[in-house]
Amino acid sequence: QLQLVESGGGLVQPGGSLRISCTTSGFTLNYYAIGWFRQAPGAAREGVSCISPGVGYISYADSVKGRFTASRDMAKNTVYLQMNSLKPEDTAVYYCATDFNCSNDAKDFRSWGQGTQVTVSS
């Protein structure tokens, strides 16, 4: 069974940083895509970044390029999202998800974590 668990969310001031984690089990991380998504209240779930299988090419949404960095730690079966220079509009529930390929469409991902809340506010 594919399982993903997010952690590390919280309250941070604008301009601050936060790292959230996605711990996986039930599959070999290297062979799957891992996507980060977020959903603000009343908004659609949007893609943030995605790590492709294999060598792990990473794509980012334009809204987070230069501020967010996704990474994999194979030994720990964990994916991270380092978020810097946070803005109030980054406030959302952040989810990790997996499938065989990267996609910006949330419906393409077969397994999801429970989400972790990130709030950016002064």
Side-chain angles (χ1 to χ4, degrees):
Q1 184 178 355
L2 307 179
Q3 290 190 318
L4 305 93
V5 179
E6 301 94 336
S7 62
L11 176 64
V12 62
Q13 293 183 326
S17 297
L18 196 66
R19 188 180 75 165
I20 57 176
S21 302
C22 173
T23 300
T24 70
S25 63
F27 62 99
T28 302
L29 186 59
N30 183 62
Y31 299 115
Y32 292 82
I34 303 295
W36 283 103
F37 292 81
R38 66 186 183 186
Q39 189 165 24
R45 190 167 298 187
E46 64 176 346
V48 175
S49 70
C50 193
I51 306 176
S52 296
V55 298
Y57 174 80
I58 306 174
S59 61
Y60 297 93
D62 288 342
S63 59
V64 306
K65 284 180 181 176
R67 300 189 298 119
F68 290 12
T69 303
S71 61
R72 300 183 299 188
D73 186 332
M74 301 298 190
K76 297 175 69 69
N77 297 317
T78 299
V79 176
Y80 302 96
L81 186 67
Q82 177 68 46
M83 301 179 289
N84 299 324
S85 302
L86 283 161
K87 305 173 181 179
E89 53 262 43
D90 295 317
T91 296
V93 177
Y94 283 73
Y95 301 88
C96 59
T98 192
D99 202 80
F100 293 113
N101 297 290
C102 279
S103 174
N104 290 325
D105 193 339
K107 69 177 176 55
D108 292 334
F109 287 78
R110 65 184 63 211
S111 189
W112 291 80
Q114 83 290 346
T116 186
Q117 176 71 46
V118 174
T119 302
V120 184
S121 177
S122 59

